[in-house]
Amino acid sequence: MDLHPNVVAAVRRFVEEAVRPAAPELEHADTYPHALVDRMRALGLFGALVPREYGGLGLDVTTYARVIEELCRGWMSLAGVINSHTMAALIVLHHGTEAQRRRLLPRFASGEARGGLCLTEPHAGSDVQAIRTRAIPRGETYVITGTKMFVTNGREGNTFALLAVTDPFAQPRHRGMSCFIIEKGAPGLAVVKSIGKLGYKGVDTAELVFEDFPCSAANLVGGVEGRGFGQVMSGLEAGRINIAARAVGVARAAYEEAAACRAGAARLEDMAARVDAARLLTYWAAGMKDRAERCDLEAGMAKLFASETAQEVALDAVRLCGTSTAMLIERCYRDAPLMIIGEGTNEIQRTIIARQLVERHGERGGALVSREGEPEERRQMLLAVRQVVDKSVAPVAAEHDRAGDIPDEIVAQLADLGVFAALVPAAHGGLGLDPATWTMMIEEVARVWAAPALLAVEQGAVAYGLGLAGGESTRQLSALARAETLAAVVPLPEALVRYEDSACVLDGTTPPIAHARRAGLLALALADGSAWWLVPASMTGVTLVAAAADLGLRGAPPAAVALRGVRLPVLRPSVSAPFLLAVMDLGVGAVAVGLGQAAFEAALRYSQQRTTFGKAICQHQAVQLKLADMATRLTAARLLVGDAATLASDGHTAARRARSFAVDAAIGVTLESMRIHGGYGYTTEFAVERYYRDAAALLSAPARATG
């Protein structure tokens, strides 16, 4: 039986029944939570990632992340008690000898050995290679001398993984470092002080001083000197995923309490989207860790985004609800900065991410999200779309964008690829693909030119709605699949709609709608998603009024729809109408992701090619910070859109949030790309200025998301 879901459920009950009631008093008094720690020990959480053969729960990293999120929703300090401990256990698990595993892991798993990491020193934080603690061999022992700072569980714990220098003359320095499992009991180890903190209270954080402390040579991890740096660094991947999960839990707690205040609906919607994105990034990195894929970049992105999100959401919650110590929010606000600093400050993390982006760019097709787990058929389909648009659309996109229209031959090429037929049921000549695959196809088109991608979005939304609605209107599906008929989605402002007897009467003019000028069919949709009608653009009382060109999306000439006494039957609440709008939101979100991806790729290439002060600008820290933030936010947007594309029970809300987040991300990424390009990015000779205009134009794309 798979016990993993039961573990998460048990932790959730523990948090609700025991942690949340007790945490405020313990936290404000800065008192170690002995009783709660005993409960965590009984739940087996000290052995969460220890295999069952050594007495642990044997959880996968994704489930462990879920456990940490649940704990931190109640009280973040509790996660600190088991995180440092778990990292010490993982060092033994992955790098220890079998004798060390047999001797130490059962003790770690039971909580008899309660551990932590002795890594940071007063003069060595993010630069681990600068440590000075020495371990000198004397017979069957090593004598350790040095000072370690910020040791979680330093006072209450008894077993630590410690990094020390065993060969001070090694070059590079990390080859002279070794990792030891330190067990309290012998003389020469002193807990000199507990360190007061802004938040993260209750869990002890201590300074440890070692003076000729004897450590058995049997506790040299792996039994070989000089491997300690790599052993400790390998544990930081799981550590960063843990920090990300902690941040998600804190952000979730702040959001939930702010939502209970019932204030600032629009801000709450944005907060919810950011929390969802942070969770998806965290589980994405954890999933790669579980599949034994390389995930140092991904774990870093998850840690960066989730920690920044926790800080932003906590601050927003303070804005909405205040800073009373009677509320959980003020604790979240104090706890959040720790995740920005822990396991490497975010500034250092951004630098590392940027370097990895430069080294690994192009390693995975389909942007920055691994497609390795995708079905082969989907991967081949996306590759085909990418190859065609790169070969046929990319060379002419700028020219046709300036001309302000999409030529028929490009529409025909996309139709041949099946882009317009993706969401049309197979019985009506379509591909019958799922919305998730469709969003990936849209992203590939938008990476080259946003205007035809948006055309495909409107076509797909109408096709999906018709497929759900069934009936006589499905006869239009074949023509939509082949792009012989083009459709436009027209949201109806409330002021245009009135009811007379058994009719819905439309009077007034809508805002300009992209692509409406060339549409043969109009999907008139009530803003609340309760009903929609598919009518010919030539219908009596309907007039398409050409509008001024938009800031961006120049290939999607807009038109307002003038409605004069158009009478339509009053429809009962429609199952298909909410999905029509949700798919529209998904598609616009996918266009935004593709557009952002194009801008990011352009910035990354340019930063590698352009030099200043004698080196490529991607080597300058200011540019590295931008690249890391661009890639991380873009990846979060892609994961949000992909998750919303499942159209689960709350899919309409998720699609709206994903769209809003993705469009904001595209606007930010395109601006940062322009900054990296400098003056060239402001000129029409480079595509960046088009990306920047197109991203803003997506704000007013059809069926605009509302909070």
Side-chain angles (χ1 to χ4, degrees):
M1 182 176 68
D2 183 6
L3 299 177
H4 295 181
N6 293 339
V7 171
V8 177
V11 172
R12 187 178 298 121
R13 286 194 300 272
F14 165 60
V15 167
E16 291 298 331
E17 296 170 3
V19 176
R20 297 189 78 136
E25 181 178 349
L26 290 167
E27 201 272 343
H28 287 301
D30 201 5
T31 301
Y32 190 81
H34 290 284
L36 295 178
V37 170
D38 287 344
R39 288 280 300 273
M40 290 197 299
R41 183 176 177 181
L43 284 168
L45 299 186
F46 282 92
L49 293 179
V50 175
R52 293 181 183 180
E53 65 180 290
Y54 298 110
L57 295 180
L59 302 182
D60 55 73
V61 178
T62 303
T63 303
Y64 179 63
R66 292 174 61 195
V67 165
I68 295 300
E69 178 186 337
E70 292 294 339
L71 282 176
C72 292
R73 178 175 164 268
W75 186 15
M76 190 267 286
S77 295
L78 293 180
V81 173
I82 64 170
N83 182 48
S84 295
H85 167 93
T86 299
M87 290 176 67
L90 288 178
I91 288 171
V92 174
L93 174 64
H94 295 305
H95 304 288
T97 64
E98 183 57 28
Q100 289 170 339
R101 287 194 284 267
R102 294 289 175 191
R103 176 166 56 89
L104 294 169
L105 288 180
R107 297 180 60 229
F108 276 124
S110 68
E112 176 190 349
R114 191 167 300 168
L117 285 180
C118 293
L119 189 61
T120 301
E121 299 185 4
H123 53 276
S126 297
D127 184 8
V128 177
Q129 294 193 63
I131 66 167
R132 298 173 184 167
T133 296
R134 289 290 309 277
I136 300 173
R138 290 182 185 170
E140 296 300 313
T141 65
Y142 284 83
V143 177
I144 297 174
T145 300
T147 300
K148 294 293 183 178
M149 297 286 293
F150 304 120
V151 180
T152 301
N153 295 327
R155 189 176 295 279
E156 296 290 339
N158 54 29
T159 308
F160 305 92
L162 176 142
L163 187 65
V165 176
T166 47
D167 181 359
F169 304 106
Q171 291 296 325
R173 291 197 78 241
H174 67 80
R175 291 183 178 173
M177 298 178 183
S178 303
C179 183
F180 299 86
I181 300 300
I182 300 298
E183 299 176 88
K184 282 184 178 178
L189 194 168
V191 181
V192 295
K193 68 176 179 180
S194 293
I195 300 170
K197 307 177 294 292
L198 168 69
Y200 195 37
K201 294 180 180 293
V203 59
D204 66 294
T205 306
E207 177 180 350
L208 273 58
V209 173
F210 297 84
E211 293 184 1
D212 294 332
F213 176 81
C215 174
S216 170
N219 280 19
L220 170 64
V221 176
V224 179
E225 291 185 6
R227 298 179 180 177
F229 182 83
Q231 292 166 349
V232 170
M233 290 298 105
S234 70
L236 291 183
E237 276 182 12
R240 287 178 182 135
I241 291 170
N242 173 282
I243 291 290
R246 284 202 221 183
V248 173
V250 170
R252 181 177 157 199
Y255 164 73
E256 288 175 354
E257 186 145 334
C261 292
R262 299 184 181 278
R267 189 180 291 273
L268 285 171
E269 187 83 352
D270 178 63
M271 292 163 69
R274 282 181 281 165
V275 174
D276 286 346
R279 179 182 294 109
L280 289 169
L281 263 173
T282 301
Y283 292 172
W284 168 60
M288 295 183 71
K289 182 77 171 174
D290 286 329
R291 295 190 299 273
E293 296 178 26
R294 178 181 176 182
C295 64
D296 49 349
L297 169 63
E298 292 78 7
M301 282 178 148
K303 187 268 184 187
L304 170 63
F305 185 86
S307 60
E308 295 291 344
T309 293
Q311 179 66 44
E312 294 163 2
V313 169
L315 177 58
D316 281 345
V318 164
R319 287 192 176 105
L320 292 174
C321 304
T323 55
S324 169
T325 56
M327 300 186 72
L328 172 62
I329 286 170
E330 67 87 25
R331 188 205 314 162
C332 295
Y333 183 72
R334 288 185 287 107
D335 283 348
L338 177 70
M339 275 75 78
I340 292 175
I341 299 166
E343 307 297 353
T345 67
N346 280 1
E347 283 61 42
I348 299 298
Q349 195 62 58
R350 287 180 172 97
T351 301
I352 295 170
I353 290 169
R355 289 173 181 168
Q356 291 172 326
L357 287 169
V358 171
E359 293 171 2
R360 293 171 55 184
H361 183 64
E363 180 179 320
R364 296 190 175 107
L368 296 161
V369 174
S370 171
R371 302 292 194 209
E372 293 175 18
E374 301 287 356
E376 182 62 23
E377 183 179 359
R378 177 184 283 176
R379 293 171 62 186
Q380 291 303 318
M381 188 175 298
L382 296 175
L383 179 60
V385 174
R386 168 167 285 209
Q387 289 173 338
V388 170
V389 295
D390 279 349
K391 180 180 179 180
S392 302
V393 182
V396 298
E399 172 190 347
H400 291 306
D401 181 78
R402 286 192 294 270
D405 206 356
I406 305 169
D408 291 340
E409 56 266 29
I410 287 181
V411 175
Q413 286 176 327
L414 295 179
D416 290 342
L417 269 173
V419 173
F420 298 114
L423 295 181
V424 174
H428 296 278
L431 300 180
L433 300 179
D434 60 281
T437 302
W438 175 72
T439 59
M440 295 177 192
M441 295 174 71
I442 294 299
E443 179 187 331
E444 290 295 342
V445 178
R447 189 181 59 84
V448 170
W449 189 11
L454 187 60
L455 178 65
V457 167
E458 300 200 57
Q459 206 82 344
V462 173
Y464 196 81
L466 285 179
L468 287 178
E472 184 66 18
S473 295
T474 56
R475 70 182 189 278
Q476 303 283 358
L477 283 170
S478 295
L480 289 171
R482 297 189 298 271
E484 293 170 357
T485 299
L486 298 181
V489 177
V490 182
L492 296 174
E494 190 175 332
L496 272 63
V497 183
R498 73 176 190 275
Y499 294 94
E500 293 181 359
D501 300 325
S502 60
C504 177
V505 182
L506 307 179
D507 265 307
T509 302
T510 71
I513 305 295
H515 290 299
R517 199 183 302 180
R518 66 192 300 167
L521 292 172
L522 302 177
L524 306 177
L526 296 181
D528 63 3
S530 61
W532 70 291
W533 299 263
L534 186 66
V535 303
S538 58
M539 181 179 183
T540 301
V542 177
T543 305
L544 298 180
V545 183
D550 206 314
L551 165 69
L553 297 171
R554 296 284 173 81
V561 181
L563 303 161
R564 298 293 178 261
V566 175
R567 299 178 69 83
L568 299 168
V570 175
L571 301 177
R572 288 176 296 179
S574 166
V575 173
S576 61
F579 282 97
L580 169 78
L581 298 180
V583 171
M584 190 70 207
D585 283 337
L586 283 176
V588 174
V591 173
V593 171
L595 191 55
Q597 179 66 26
F600 170 74
E601 289 176 357
L604 188 58
R605 284 194 302 269
Y606 186 81
S607 72
Q608 293 173 277
Q609 297 164 358
R610 183 64 186 260
T611 60
T612 185
F613 303 119
K615 59 183 179 181
I617 63 173
C618 65
Q619 297 178 29
H620 292 277
Q621 189 176 48
V623 173
Q624 291 175 338
L625 301 184
K626 291 182 183 298
L627 289 171
D629 281 337
M630 291 163 71
T632 300
R633 191 159 193 212
L634 186 60
T635 301
R638 179 177 288 108
L639 292 170
L640 264 182
V641 171
D643 183 68
T646 60
L647 293 177
S649 58
D650 64 343
H652 309 142
T653 299
R656 184 179 69 241
R657 289 175 178 171
R659 169 187 171 149
S660 179
F661 184 94
V663 171
D664 285 348
I667 291 171
V669 168
T670 55
L671 175 60
E672 292 305 297
S673 182
M674 186 178 293
R675 291 178 190 268
I676 289 173
H677 280 79
Y680 288 110
Y682 197 70
T683 69
T684 56
E685 294 179 13
F686 280 68
V688 176
E689 70 88 27
R690 167 161 56 92
Y691 302 151
Y692 178 72
R693 289 187 289 103
D694 285 352
L698 289 177
L699 287 169
S700 55
R704 182 179 181 181
T706 56

